[in-house]
Amino acid sequence: MEGFEARLGAALEERRVAGLYRRRLTLESSQGVVVRIAGRDCLNFCSNDYLGLAAHPRIVARFQQAAAHYGVGSGASHLVCGHSAPHHELEEALAEFTGRPRALLYSSGYMANTGVLTSVLRKGDQVFEDRLNHASLLDGGLFSGARFRRFPHNDTIALEKKLSAAEGAKLVVVDGVFSMDGDSAPLADLADVCHRHEAWLMVDDAHGFGVLGDRGAGSTAAAALGVQGVPVLMATLGKALGTAGAFIAGSELLIEMLIQHSRNYIYTTAIPPAVAAATLEALALVREEAWRRSHLAALIQRFRLGAEQLGLPIMASDSAIQPLLIGSSQRAFEISERLLSQGFLVAAIRPPTVPANTARLRITLSASHTETQVDQLLEALANSASGS
Ligand SMILES: *Cc1c(COP(=O)(O)O)cnc(C)c1O
C-alpha cells in the first residue's frame, strides 16, 4: 500500500533537503519584549504585538472580569447562541472607530479573508491581487472561483492596464502594510484606479490597524478613505490590538450578506466573549495612549538610521516591520540562530513565505522596546550579520 505515508514523508524530506524545514519555539512566558525560551530570557524582535498590548494589565484584568461573568467558551456559532453582549459591543466600537456603518467579527484573519472573498466573488468575476499579498488573501481569491489575476507589487499602472481589459465584476485586493516587506500600498492611487474602472477595493490592514493614522484607525484612515473608497476593510485583532480574532468593516449591505452567506462566519464557534471584552479594553488603550504610536515611530527612525550607518541591508519600509534582506535561506537561518544564541529573537523568513532568493530577517519593533534595546539589537546585528 503505497500512498499517504510515502507522500507525507517525501513532503518532509523535500523541506529538509531545501534547508527550509521549520520548527517551533516554545515560549514559557507571556508575549512581550522579553520572552522566556528553554529557561532563558530573550529580547523579542519578531512579535506582531506592535503596541505592546498582548499582556497589558488592564487588558488582562478586563479579560478576567469578563471570563468570570461570561465563562470561557462561547458555546456556539454567532447565528445559534454564541453571539454575546461583548461581541456585539465590540462590533459597534470597531465600526465607529473605522468610520464604517457596520463591522463583523471573525475568529481569525485567515477566516475573515477567505470568508469575505468566497462570499463576495463568484465564477465570471475577476479578482486582482498584489503579488505580495498575504497567503490568506491569495487563498481566498483562489478558492472563490473568480478569475484570479496577480499584478506586480504596488504597480498601479500595470493594474490599471489589466482592469481596462477586464470584463465582469472586478475586485482589487491589497495589504495596507505588506507583512513581509513592511512597505505600504498606495491606497489613494488604488482607490482612484478602482473608481475609474468601477472596481471594488479591499484592504487587509492586519499590520496598519492600531498603528497608523492619527488615532490608530489604520491605513485607510491615514489615506482618508471611507467606505466609498474602500468598500471592504479587514483587520486583525491579534497584532497591534494584542488579543485575537479579526473583523470585516463595510456597508450595511456587505455585513448583512456576510451574516447570511459567509460559511466561515456561520459554521464556526464564536471567539470567547472574554476575548471580545479584552479587545474593547485594547481599543480604549489605542485611543487613549497615542504615545505608543509616537514612541514606536521614533524607534523605527532610530533603527533605520543605525542600520543604514552599519551598512545593513534594510528595505524600503516605514512601518514597524523592518526586514533585512539576506537572500540565501541558509544564511538567514544561520544569522537568526547566532542571534538567538546571544539572546535576540529575530525570525528568519524563508520561501515559500517570501519569493525565492529573498530570505530575510524579519525584525519587528514594538512600543514596548526601549531605545537601548534597539541599540543592543543593532550592535548584535553588526556582529552577526556581517561576514559569513
Ligand atoms: C496575520 C495576518 C492575517 C491572518 O490573521 P490571523 O488572525 O492571524 O489569522 C491576514 N492578513 C495579514 C496581512 C496578516 O499579517
Side-chain angles (χ1 to χ4, degrees):
M1 196 200 70
E2 192 269 342
F4 292 120
E5 296 241 350
R7 188 190 305 170
L8 306 189
L12 290 185
E13 190 53 24
E14 193 184 315
R15 273 282 151 93
R16 223 172 255 128
V17 168
L20 296 177
Y21 210 82
R22 288 123 189 268
R23 77 195 151 92
R24 302 172 304 173
L25 297 168
T26 306
L27 267 65
E28 295 148 10
S29 65
S30 69
Q31 191 56 240
V33 158
V34 178
V35 290
R36 201 158 181 85
I37 296 168
R40 196 159 152 256
D41 284 344
C42 301
L43 262 185
N44 186 2
F45 285 99
C46 57
S47 171
N48 300 318
D49 180 22
Y50 302 122
L51 297 179
L53 298 180
H56 192 286
R58 262 175 61 183
I59 298 176
V60 174
R62 182 77 173 266
F63 180 84
Q64 288 168 332
Q65 283 161 17
H69 186 88
Y70 291 96
V72 176
S74 67
S77 64
H78 284 276
L79 294 192
V80 178
C81 63
H83 188 68
S84 64
H87 293 125
H88 204 75
E89 195 186 330
L90 178 58
E91 288 181 346
E92 289 178 347
L94 290 169
E96 195 270 323
F97 190 54
T98 57
R100 264 75 185 159
R102 295 276 302 268
L104 187 71
L105 283 176
Y106 276 79
S107 303
S108 76
Y110 187 92
M111 288 178 66
N113 280 338
T114 52
V116 75
L117 288 167
T118 53
S119 305
V120 168
L121 292 166
R122 61 179 181 211
K123 208 160 174 263
D125 296 343
Q126 306 217 26
V127 59
F128 300 82
E129 298 212 19
D130 188 293
R131 60 181 290 272
L132 295 189
N133 274 359
H134 189 264
S136 56
L137 293 173
L138 301 174
D139 288 355
L142 290 167
F143 299 162
S144 72
R147 176 140 184 238
F148 186 81
R149 317 192 52 181
R150 293 187 200 217
F151 59 91
H153 180 50
N154 278 348
D155 189 341
T156 49
I157 293 168
L159 170 66
E160 181 146 30
K161 233 177 249 165
K162 283 179 196 268
L163 281 171
S164 358
E167 307 274 323
K170 293 167 265 189
L171 180 68
V172 173
V173 184
V174 295
D175 281 20
V177 173
F178 287 86
S179 52
M180 296 300 140
D181 288 51
D183 59 342
S184 298
L187 291 186
D189 290 352
L190 285 166
D192 267 356
V193 169
C194 287
H195 179 71
R196 279 202 295 279
H197 295 275
E198 291 176 1
W200 264 20
L201 178 59
M202 169 174 174
V203 175
D204 171 344
D205 209 22
H207 301 280
F209 187 65
V211 181
L212 298 179
D214 296 339
R215 298 154 55 243
S219 302
T220 53
L225 290 169
V227 70
Q228 250 80 46
V230 180
V232 187
L233 170 62
M234 175 274 189
T236 64
L237 305 172
K239 288 169 179 147
L241 275 280
T243 59
F247 68 93
I248 300 286
S251 66
E252 183 70 29
L253 186 68
L254 174 70
I255 299 306
E256 274 304 313
M257 189 280 295
L258 292 174
I259 295 173
Q260 303 304 321
H261 290 288
S262 172
R263 298 172 70 85
N264 294 19
Y265 181 74
I266 299 167
Y267 297 109
T268 198
T269 302
I271 57 170
V275 171
T279 308
L280 281 163
E281 195 67 30
L283 206 53
L285 280 160
V286 165
R287 289 169 192 259
E288 287 166 27
E289 302 195 346
W291 68 262
R292 291 180 188 272
R293 284 185 289 285
S294 44
H295 179 58
L296 179 59
L299 293 179
I300 294 166
Q301 285 313 309
R302 190 179 184 90
F303 176 82
R304 288 188 67 78
L305 201 67
E308 220 164 78
Q309 283 164 359
L310 291 167
L312 295 171
I314 50 174
M315 294 173 66
S317 162
D318 298 324
S319 73
I321 303 163
Q322 289 294 323
L324 297 183
L325 189 60
I326 304 298
S328 145
S329 294
Q330 185 59 29
R331 193 163 134 69
F333 178 71
E334 282 166 13
I335 298 172
S336 164
E337 288 288 292
R338 214 177 300 161
L339 287 167
L340 186 59
S341 72
Q342 295 166 43
F344 294 89
L345 190 56
V346 174
I349 304 288
R350 299 168 286 170
T353 308
V354 291
N357 305 314
T358 68
R360 65 202 64 181
L361 298 171
R362 181 178 180 271
I363 293 160
T364 51
L365 299 170
S366 154
S368 297
H369 285 123
T370 62
E371 292 184 346
T372 309
Q373 289 167 334
V374 169
D375 294 346
Q376 287 168 338
L377 172 69
L378 285 165
E379 196 185 325
L381 287 169
N383 296 330
S384 296
S386 57
S388 45

